Structures are given as structure tokens and as C-alpha cells.
Amino acid sequence: MNKKNEPFTQLPAYGKLKDHYVRVKNLHMRRLFSVDPNRFKKFSVKHNGLLLDYSKNRITTETIPLLCDLAREANLEQWRERMFRGDKINNTENRAVLHTALRNCSDKPVYVRNKDIMPEIRSVIDKMQYFSEKIRTGEWKGHTGKRITSIINIGIGGSDLGPKMVYQALRPYHHKKLRVYFVSNVDGVHIDEILEPLNPETTLVIISSKTFTTQETLSNAYVAREWLLQRLNDEKAIAKHFVAVSTNKKAVQAFGIDSQNMFEFWDWVGGRYSLWSAIGLSIVIAVGSDNFNKLLLGANEMDEHFQEAPFEQNMPVIMALLGIWYNNFFKTESHGIFPYDDYLRSLPMYLEQADMESNGKSVDRNGRKVDYPTGPIIWGTSGINGQHAFYQSLHQGTKMIPADFIISLKTHSHYQEQHNILFSNALAQTEALMRGRNIDETYADIQASKHRPVTGISKRINHMVFEGNNPTNTLLIDKLSPRTLGSLLALYEHKIFVQGVIWNLNSFDQWGVELGKQLAKQILNDIHQPYGTRSHDASTNALVNYYRDTITENSAIRA
Ligand code: F6P
């Protein structure tokens, strides 16, 4: 919210940006590069093992200062301060937003309701680390005295995507004798396939749920509990094989888990911002306390950069403002995330939730309908695979899709030449997207090619031309490590925050997921009735009844 509580489209900087947009919208980046050899130097920033090159964007030297003015007029400095000091900026849930406190590596206190929360945070971290060490060393034994070798994290959304993505990303740091599995889908085949090869005697189940009321998580948790009890035949086994991560002590106890085996977190940690909390338990078990601490440290270093660097050199601010530039001026609709690092293959999915659950909103923080586009559609996949799937559309489609290319400089693999190929491909894509290939260059390329078609070139030539001028950010990571990963993830968190401030959204609630949950309960109830339903629209009624008839028929056949 700005001082006069106006939409950001009324701010003076927005008006200036609109005029600026008219001047730059038809400029081609190829030309901008040819007239300014210092473009990379001007439009790149480095911090903590990350290099952001944003020179391949449709901007001139005027654009960033104007966008930074917009951020200042939208009171970004004040909002940032309010978040870090624990004001209840999640106004619809009356909560502070303090995932940053979970990685506060300084001795500064952080207050919620006049109480310093740092001692509590540290005590949960200590408990997680103590427990994880016992699992890692084999000191913790299962009910029949065997050491734990398999860990299943049951959770969904923020209680799954973050830990799963970090677990995959930190593969080289894993404990050699432990393997973590992630179950999220309520489709029974998911948990079936995971449980099937496992031995309950050597398996630990972590039920991760902030609320401990999520239907899919609880239903999977009961399946796992049943699986274990059927094989170990003793309720006492639960204490050795089940732990919970939650804010809801009562529900955890009702499930049968002793509060000693519960790792707590708090309502001021949003689900999609929770991997830094006890929700990261599976990560600590897999990579150990030292590496988890480095993950927190990397995030903390990005927090400091975000708080201290001037907007013009502030990585999350710049990425956010570029996103606003395309979303609100060029009216692009989506944003691609293309990691050229196989360990980051789940990053796009993680960011889908982080970004779209935060900023996919059409009502501002005061409850007013907005008349400007807010959060883009976030999507992507690991880069090299995407090249052979949807990149055609990035290069020659009718939609402009700004994208982030994330590349590690040093590989964990033994195959350096493979890495050289990967790296070359990533840069080739951003170069091609920026430059394109005009008609003369296309003719010249065909002439120079050994396989040039002898006839019919003129008929095909238009199909082979690339217009270019497609914007990309390139994010180079020194080497994927706990610390650089921490910084990378915090970078995106703050990018999302900045955009939410400018669009005047509450980025920390998620009311949009509620209606579907409520209706699903109703439909489940209808399925169990002995008669057909008529309480929905004609389509839903017919589909529910069709399903009900099918399963009733199947069970009649089975009987
Ligand atoms: O349905 C959305 C959501 O509430 C997410 O915000 C959250 O990450 C996820 O469900 C899981 O919730 P919980 O951790 O409470 O089970």
C-alpha cells in the first residue's frame, strides 16, 4: 500500500513507465547490444555465489531507475521492514510472516506478541538436529531393534514440495545409508508403490502437516500406520516409527503420536515458506545438521542482501521489477523457470506453488478487486529436456514468455564434457531468444550448410526465421551447494514478496484453495450415499452418479 492507499497504477512512476514503455516496446535487444558493449556490465549483479545477468531484457538504462522509483513509491522499504520485524502483514489471517526468523543467524531478537521467538526456534532446530543425528548414526532403533534406513515424508503442498526439491537438489550431500521418499498424492498408487518394497522395521514415517487437518495427508498417514501395524503387530511400534511436524499438537496426539515425537512450528510460517522450519526434518536427516545450517546461512545472506542493497543492485528487487515490467506493461501471461541442472529439476514445481499461491489473486489487501494483472503463470521443466519439447513455442510462437535460465558453473558429475554441452545449450538458447535470426542470416546459414536444400528455399525461408527479442534472465550458480541453494530460494521468496507489495496483495494467505476442498468433502459424502445426488449442477451430478454407479457395479461384480 502506498501513502495515499491508491492502486500502484495511479503512482507517478507508473505513468512515467507507461510513456517509457511506448518508447522502448519496439526496440530490438540485438540493436541495444550492438550500440552498447557495456550492457552486461550495466545489467548484471553478483551476490553470494550467484550471478544474475539481466542484460537480455527489453530495457534501456532508463528502465531500471523508473521501476525502482515505482518500488519506492509503493513503499517497498517500509513493507520490507514490517515483514522482517514481525508485523502482522498477513492481514486476512492476522499473522506475522517470519520465515526469515527461521534462518536468522545473528543474535538479534525477533518479536511476536512482545516475545522473542528466537529461543523457541533454536530449541526446535536443536531437537531436529539431535533426532536426525540419532537416525544418521543408527543410534535410533526401530521397534524390532533394527536401524532406520528409509524415511517417508508424508505431506502435500508446502509440506512436500520444498523438502522434496531440496532433497533432490542436495543429492551429493546425502547420507549414504539413508533414503528419503515423499508421498503427497492421495491417489493410492502413490503410497502403494512407495510402501511396497520397504520394510516397516527399518522405516521412519514423518507426517508433515502445518494444520494436521489436510485430508490427503491424513489419509496417507493412516494407510502408512495400518501398513506398519499389520506387519509389526504392536501399537507401541508407532513411537519408534512415526514422528510428526505440525503446529497442531492436539491433532498430532489424536493420531497417536507422542508430543515428544512432534517437531513444532508456528502460525507465522506460511506452508510454502516452511522448508526452513521443522518441515525440513527430512532434509536434516538426509544431509546432516552442518549442511542444513549452511542452507539456512545461504538464505540468511540473501535476506541481508535484500534488506541492505540499494534497489538498483538488489537481486530480488530487480527480478521482481522485471517481472512487473513484462506482466503489467507488455502484458505477458506466464514466466518460465528452466534449470539447467538436473538436481534442480523440481524447482519449477516448487516455484509454481511459492509464486502462484502467493500472488495469484484478484483482490488487493483491502479486499478491492484489482484492475491490473497480478501474478503470472509460473511453469517450466529442466532446461535441456524442455528444448526438445516446448522451446519451439518460445522461439517462434505468438506469445512472449520471459524466462529464467538457471545454470551451475561447476558440476557434481564426473563428466565434464557433458557439463560443457549442457552449459553451451543453455547459453545458446538465451542468445537465440535474444538475437533471433533474420532473413539474410537465414539464407546465409542455409548456403553455408552442407545439407542445404537444393530447391524450394524461398518457400521455407519464413519458417526458418527467428524474430528474437524474447527476454531472459540468466542466473549462474557457482556450484549447487547447501549455501548457494539457500540463497537461490530466498532470492525467489523475496522476488515474490516485492511483486506482492507492488500489486498491493496479501501474498501470505491462500483462500483460493478452500472452495475445492469443501466441495470435495461434499462429493465424497454423495459417493457414499445409497442414492444418486441431485445437489449439484447437472454436469457434476451426472459425473458423480456415473462414478458411483461404476464403483457400485464393480463391488457387486467382486462380491
Ligand atoms: O491447500 C493448500 C495448502 O494449504 C498449502 O498452502 C499448504 O502448503 C498445503 O495445503 C498443506 O497444508 P498442511 O501443511 O496444513 O497439510
Side-chain angles (χ1 to χ4, degrees):
M1 196 193 351
N2 50 75
K3 279 178 192 123
K4 291 189 202 143
N5 196 13
E6 294 160 332
F8 86 106
T9 48
Q10 302 297 314
L11 295 172
Y14 183 89
K16 288 186 197 154
L17 276 160
K18 253 172 91 177
D19 296 342
H20 177 64
Y21 168 72
V22 173
R23 288 196 299 277
V24 303
K25 68 176 184 197
N26 293 323
L27 296 179
H28 200 293
M29 282 188 277
R30 170 195 276 243
R31 166 126 189 89
L32 296 174
F33 270 99
S34 73
V35 298
D36 185 358
N38 286 325
R39 212 173 145 82
F40 169 79
K41 220 168 158 191
K42 284 182 188 156
F43 299 128
S44 59
V45 47
K46 235 180 135 177
H47 180 68
N48 213 30
L50 301 181
L51 166 79
L52 168 66
D53 168 22
Y54 60 99
S55 59
K56 293 191 181 92
N57 275 289
R58 293 173 68 164
I59 54 172
T60 67
T61 43
E62 281 173 78
T63 320
I64 295 292
L66 283 174
L67 285 165
C68 289
D69 286 346
L70 182 72
R72 276 184 277 268
E73 289 174 15
N75 279 339
L76 176 61
E77 280 114 329
Q78 288 85 337
W79 279 105
R80 183 178 58 187
E81 206 182 312
R82 295 190 65 197
M83 175 171 74
F84 278 91
R85 74 169 177 231
D87 284 7
K88 292 182 175 174
I89 60 168
N90 175 353
N91 60 332
T92 61
E93 296 179 311
N94 198 27
R95 289 174 184 167
V97 173
L98 277 173
H99 47 278
T100 50
L102 300 165
R103 57 220 193 194
N104 172 14
C105 302
S106 74
D107 49 16
K108 282 188 216 138
V110 181
Y111 293 99
V112 171
R113 296 175 209 106
N114 299 323
K115 185 178 152 208
D116 180 11
I117 54 172
M118 289 315 301
E120 243 181 300
I121 293 176
R122 291 200 182 102
S123 120
V124 175
I125 292 183
D126 286 349
K127 186 173 169 184
M128 283 161 71
Q129 302 195 335
Y130 179 72
F131 176 74
S132 302
E133 269 321 289
K134 282 189 165 184
I135 299 284
R136 290 170 61 83
T137 55
E139 194 190 327
W140 181 281
K141 299 278 188 283
H143 184 62
T144 56
K146 295 192 175 154
R147 84 180 271 172
I148 299 294
T149 53
S150 308
I151 293 101
I152 308 176
N153 183 80
I154 299 183
I156 198 161
S159 302
D160 166 70
L161 292 165
K164 184 165 69 188
M165 176 270 300
V166 172
Y167 176 73
Q168 278 176 358
L170 298 183
R171 175 83 174 80
Y173 302 85
H174 286 183
H175 189 292
K176 300 284 173 282
K177 291 193 177 144
L178 296 172
R179 188 145 177 217
V180 184
Y181 303 84
F182 293 86
V183 175
S184 52
N185 202 334
V186 78
D187 185 336
V189 297
H190 194 186
I191 192 154
D192 238 0
E193 282 194 2
I194 284 173
L195 293 180
E196 211 250 337
L198 297 185
N199 177 359
E201 292 177 273
T202 53
T203 302
L204 174 81
V205 179
I206 306 174
I207 308 173
S208 297
S209 175
K210 179 175 169 181
T211 55
F212 225 79
T213 56
T214 305
Q215 187 188 34
E216 37 282 62
T217 298
L218 286 186
S219 128
N220 277 326
Y222 278 108
V223 170
R225 191 175 189 272
E226 196 49 33
W227 168 80
L228 184 109
L229 288 178
Q230 267 181 11
R231 285 155 184 86
L232 300 186
N233 261 323
D234 188 351
E235 285 272 340
K236 285 200 202 105
I238 301 285
K240 289 289 174 193
H241 295 271
F242 275 80
V243 297
V245 179
S246 186
T247 57
N248 187 346
K249 223 181 225 171
K250 264 196 185 158
V252 169
Q253 280 167 344
F255 182 86
I257 294 178
D258 194 287
S259 49
Q260 283 222 312
N261 289 343
M262 168 177 165
F263 298 83
E264 197 188 352
F265 67 116
W266 306 273
D267 67 0
W268 40 262
V269 184
R272 53 195 174 275
Y273 299 91
S274 64
L275 72 89
W276 321 100
S277 73
I279 288 289
L281 183 62
S282 54
I283 306 172
V284 193
I285 295 176
V287 304
S289 307
D290 283 355
N291 285 319
F292 189 71
N293 287 337
K294 285 181 193 153
L295 182 81
L296 298 181
L297 176 68
N300 179 253
E301 285 164 338
M302 185 53 75
D303 294 343
E304 282 175 359
H305 167 79
F306 175 50
Q307 287 174 283
E308 286 159 15
F311 286 175
E312 287 74 4
Q313 282 130 46
N314 193 312
M315 240 187 237
V317 172
I318 288 170
M319 281 178 68
L321 292 175
L322 288 168
I324 304 258
W325 180 230
Y326 296 118
N327 190 68
N328 296 86
F329 294 90
F330 285 82
K331 307 280 190 228
T332 54
E333 298 210 318
S334 80
H335 187 97
I337 306 284
F338 308 136
Y340 279 71
D341 185 315
D342 208 54
Y343 286 142
L344 289 176
R345 61 189 176 277
S346 290
L347 184 70
M349 243 196 285
Y350 164 78
L351 289 177
E352 276 168 18
Q353 185 200 17
D355 201 315
M356 292 166 81
E357 203 167 77
S358 298
N359 287 339
K361 291 166 187 166
S362 52
V363 161
D364 73 9
R365 56 169 41 253
N366 306 309
R368 286 183 309 212
K369 184 117 182 98
V370 299
D371 59 0
Y372 44 84
T374 62
I377 297 155
I378 301 291
W379 63 285
T381 194
S382 66
I384 203 85
N385 295 357
Q387 282 179 214
H388 297 273
F390 51 77
Y391 276 37
Q392 161 66 37
S393 173
L394 301 186
H395 288 287
Q396 291 185 317
T398 54
K399 295 184 176 61
M400 181 164 114
I401 302 173
D404 297 345
F405 282 68
I406 305 165
I407 321 166
S408 299
L409 288 175
K410 297 182 200 124
T411 176
H412 283 282
S413 108
H414 304 298
Y415 306 111
Q416 184 57 41
E417 194 49 22
Q418 301 268 106
H419 193 64
N420 297 342
I421 296 172
L422 183 73
F423 191 82
S424 319
N425 269 279
L427 289 201
Q429 291 300 324
T430 58
E431 187 177 16
L433 285 164
M434 183 277 286
R435 278 182 64 84
R437 182 172 70 179
N438 64 27
I439 200 150
D440 295 340
E441 289 166 335
T442 308
Y443 268 119
D445 277 356
I446 294 169
Q447 293 304 341
S449 153
K450 272 197 250 156
H451 309 292
R452 62 175 181 264
V454 185
T455 52
I457 297 181
S458 56
K459 274 195 194 153
R460 267 183 249 175
I461 196 80
N462 285 346
H463 297 273
M464 299 161 89
V465 167
F466 292 67
E467 282 181 15
N469 220 12
N470 294 299
T472 60
N473 292 318
T474 304
L475 254 172
L476 295 184
I477 307 173
D478 274 358
K479 185 169 185 173
L480 192 59
S481 68
R483 192 161 165 189
T484 51
L485 181 66
S487 288
L488 178 74
L489 300 179
L491 164 64
Y492 276 100
E493 285 181 348
H494 295 318
K495 172 201 162 182
I496 293 164
F497 170 77
V498 172
Q499 294 190 331
V501 167
I502 293 179
W503 291 322
N504 196 22
L505 304 174
N506 175 1
S507 302
F508 302 101
D509 60 10
Q510 56 284 316
W511 299 103
V513 300
E514 292 307 319
L515 178 61
K517 290 185 192 172
Q518 193 185 313
L519 292 178
K521 282 195 185 132
Q522 223 168 294
I523 292 175
L524 183 62
N525 185 45
D526 292 339
I527 289 169
H528 290 305
Q529 297 307 321
Y531 43 81
T533 181
R534 286 164 61 181
S535 55
H536 308 267
D537 58 88
S539 155
T540 311
N541 283 339
L543 296 170
V544 170
N545 294 335
Y546 193 75
Y547 177 75
R548 222 187 109 266
D549 293 348
T550 313
I551 57 165
T552 322
E553 222 170 81
N554 281 350
S555 48
I557 293 168
R558 274 201 302 274

